[in-house]
Amino acid sequence: MANSKPNQKNNHPTIAFIALCLGFFMTILDVTIVNVALVDIKTHLGGNINALQWILDGYALVYASFLLTTGALGDRLGNKRIFIVGLGLFTLASILCGLAPTLLILELGRLLQGLGAALLVPNSLALINHTFADEKKKATALGIYGAIGGLGAAVGPVLGGLLVHSFSWRSIFIVNFPVGIICFLLTFFFVKESQNRKQAGFDIPGQVAGITALSLLTFAFIEGKGLGWHSPIIIGIFVSFAIAAILFLVREHKTKTPMLPLAFFSNLTFSGANTIGFLAFFALYGELFIVSLFFQQIQHYSPLTTGMAFLPEGLALFIPTLFIGKLVGSIGVKVPILIGLVIGCLGYAGLAFITARTSYLFVAAAIGAIGLAMAFIVPPITNVIVTNVQEKYSGIASSIYNVSRQIGAVLGVAILGSLIGSHKEFIQDMHLAFLICAALLFIALVIGAIFVKGNK
């Protein structure tokens, strides 16, 4: 475990912030950097579209399933300690993925990566909240941190394309090793440990019920089309999901040490922000998965060309991060959120009209709008989540938010991916998927207008 004493003397908030953001960026990057490598992975290790979905969703599923427990663990044992453990596991699991000789080993490595990310992410946000005492500086830091999550999602395909083209699909995982080492050293020496807290408890039955429910739902949507939506197996899995979900909620309501404090959701702003985060990331991750397949299977782009084709989305996310945090600190959270949701609706509606003959410039404008939308949505939503609970609960609050985002990511790939049929039906199915995305962001817009407060 890291010793926090050196940090008491060498606490540099800016360097600490860079270290924490670097760790967070890696975990988000590894959700989407895989997209452009899927065809190469299939060529070298085999597998069908369901197996490709599991490479993405296996990571996100474990990530989402353990976030609540790891947030409570950080609040109890120290956020820095748990952050470093997660960083180490994530880095080692990345090496396993990069060296995987079979698809099964790759999927196992992705599961371990997801666990490392679950340990790392909520505690990074809690440490940032602890590092900055000044409210304006904290708002700016949280805004940048939130934008980095969306940036990692959009930059992933670009960086993945460059790495696959220059080396191989294995390089998208191996690259995490040197970055992980740098992040570890910066964290050890410059991040100050938070005070140990014991308010949060461990709820093992709740954890089991939650993981079971989410796993069953993900399996049903990924495998449903292949097995048949009316097959006894899929129907049984949906029923089992409903039972597990009910047991989870009942357990969290009754236990004295819930990992998901349901009382938090009595705050309508907190609930609304989590719902917006869920819907925004559902649409984003579904879009990245489907558009990547569109570029490679319909437009026949290479991994490098596919990655570069996503560049407008990445740039649209990156450039606004230079001022969105400060904007939130000065005018509040509501206006940027609403602007972002409107832009997002237009972007997804645009994608619902593309065909194999559509000009790339039109596609670039649509995905660029989605990137810009996320730049406006994510930073203020992150700010809302952390500042609407007492500071001592920042770890569990950030966990709840990240669970919302990751469940959105898991279901976005699973549900929207399940709509995609044969090559002949691809365009029609894609249109339906993006119309759903536009509708979901419109619902998020209504929620933001009604429930999110406009204070700074």
Side-chain angles (χ1 to χ4, degrees):
M1 296 296 179
N3 188 342
S4 61
K5 288 184 180 181
N7 299 34
Q8 307 301 326
K9 296 179 181 180
N10 301 295
N11 182 36
H12 299 278
T14 301
I15 301 178
F17 179 66
I18 291 172
L20 296 168
C21 286
L22 187 60
F24 176 53
F25 181 79
M26 280 201 306
T27 66
I28 301 300
L29 186 73
D30 264 52
V31 179
T32 59
I33 197 173
V34 179
N35 280 289
V36 298
L38 290 176
V39 174
D40 273 30
I41 291 173
K42 180 181 178 182
T43 300
H44 288 90
L45 301 182
N48 54 24
I49 192 170
N50 289 4
L52 300 183
Q53 284 179 278
W54 278 116
I55 292 173
L56 297 175
D57 266 354
Y59 173 87
L61 180 62
V62 175
Y63 188 176
S65 297
F66 285 95
L67 276 170
L68 293 174
T69 295
T70 56
L73 193 65
D75 284 344
R76 174 174 295 218
L77 300 179
N79 300 116
K80 177 182 173 181
R81 292 183 177 91
I82 302 305
F83 177 88
I84 287 180
V85 171
L87 178 64
L89 178 60
F90 182 87
T91 304
L92 293 175
S94 296
I95 298 299
L96 177 62
C97 290
L99 300 177
T102 66
L103 189 62
L104 179 61
I105 298 299
L106 175 58
E107 290 173 341
L108 174 61
R110 290 288 282 172
L111 296 179
L112 292 174
Q113 271 192 318
L115 180 57
L119 289 162
L120 186 160
V121 171
N123 291 291
S124 67
L125 187 52
L127 285 167
I128 289 173
N129 193 43
H130 176 73
T131 298
F132 296 95
D134 181 80
E135 290 302 319
K136 285 191 175 181
K137 290 182 178 179
K138 182 182 293 187
T140 300
L142 290 172
I144 295 172
Y145 176 92
I148 283 174
L151 178 63
V155 168
V158 180
L159 180 58
L162 288 170
L163 289 172
V164 173
H165 174 77
S166 302
F167 305 101
S168 75
W169 65 265
R170 297 182 185 278
S171 64
I172 66 176
F173 301 111
I174 299 296
V175 72
N176 288 330
F177 181 71
V179 178
I181 294 297
I182 294 171
C183 185
F184 173 84
L185 292 174
L186 292 177
T187 302
F188 182 83
F189 288 107
F190 296 106
V191 175
K192 185 178 180 179
E193 178 64 281
S194 58
Q195 295 178 351
N196 292 349
R197 301 159 184 152
K198 297 186 179 179
Q199 287 85 1
F202 297 101
D203 177 21
I204 294 177
Q207 179 73 75
V208 172
I211 292 174
T212 301
L214 185 54
S215 299
L216 289 170
L217 186 62
T218 304
F219 181 90
F221 278 112
I222 289 179
E223 302 292 342
K225 194 160 191 174
L227 295 175
W229 294 110
H230 299 293
S231 72
I233 293 176
I234 295 300
I235 293 174
I237 289 174
F238 274 119
V239 172
S240 300
F241 155 73
I243 294 172
I246 292 171
L247 290 175
F248 172 74
L249 293 174
V250 170
R251 171 67 186 180
E252 296 308 289
H253 177 70
K254 290 186 176 181
T255 183
K256 294 180 180 179
T257 58
M259 65 176 189
L260 177 64
L262 298 180
F264 282 6
F265 293 95
S266 63
N267 182 323
L268 294 181
T269 297
F270 181 86
S271 297
N274 274 286
T275 303
I276 293 170
F278 168 83
L279 295 174
F281 277 83
F282 179 101
L284 175 67
Y285 282 81
E287 173 256 322
L288 291 170
F289 179 71
I290 293 173
V291 172
S292 181
L293 292 178
F294 170 77
F295 283 147
Q296 294 183 79
Q297 295 187 5
I298 303 300
Q299 302 285 48
H300 304 292
Y301 288 179
S302 68
L304 176 61
T305 306
T306 298
M308 298 308 294
F310 276 105
L311 192 57
E313 190 163 3
L315 290 175
L317 255 166
F318 173 71
I319 295 173
T321 61
L322 301 176
F323 65 83
I324 291 293
K326 292 183 179 180
L327 181 66
V328 170
S330 37
I331 71 169
V333 296
K334 187 163 188 172
V335 172
I337 291 172
L338 298 183
I339 290 174
L341 290 169
V342 170
I343 295 173
C345 284
L346 295 175
Y348 288 114
L351 288 179
F353 290 95
I354 64 174
T355 69
R357 297 181 179 180
T358 300
S359 165
Y360 169 72
L361 291 178
F362 182 87
V363 180
I367 64 176
I370 293 168
L372 183 62
M374 295 303 291
F376 274 87
I377 295 168
V378 176
I381 287 294
T382 305
N383 183 289
V384 170
I385 295 296
V386 176
T387 58
N388 270 269
V389 298
Q390 297 178 40
E391 185 175 349
K392 65 181 180 179
Y393 295 120
S394 59
I396 191 65
S398 65
S399 295
I400 293 172
Y401 171 53
N402 279 290
V403 167
S404 299
R405 287 168 36 144
Q406 289 309 309
I407 291 177
V410 170
L411 296 183
V413 173
I415 295 176
L416 297 179
S418 72
L419 298 176
I420 303 300
S422 65
H423 187 278
K424 184 181 296 186
E425 301 170 337
F426 188 99
I427 298 297
Q428 180 180 343
D429 295 338
M430 180 178 66
H431 289 169
L432 174 59
F434 289 133
L435 285 174
I436 292 173
C437 290
L440 291 177
L441 257 68
F442 180 77
I443 293 172
L445 177 65
V446 174
I447 292 171
I450 296 174
F451 296 112
V452 175
K453 297 179 181 178
N455 4 340
K456 299 179 184 179

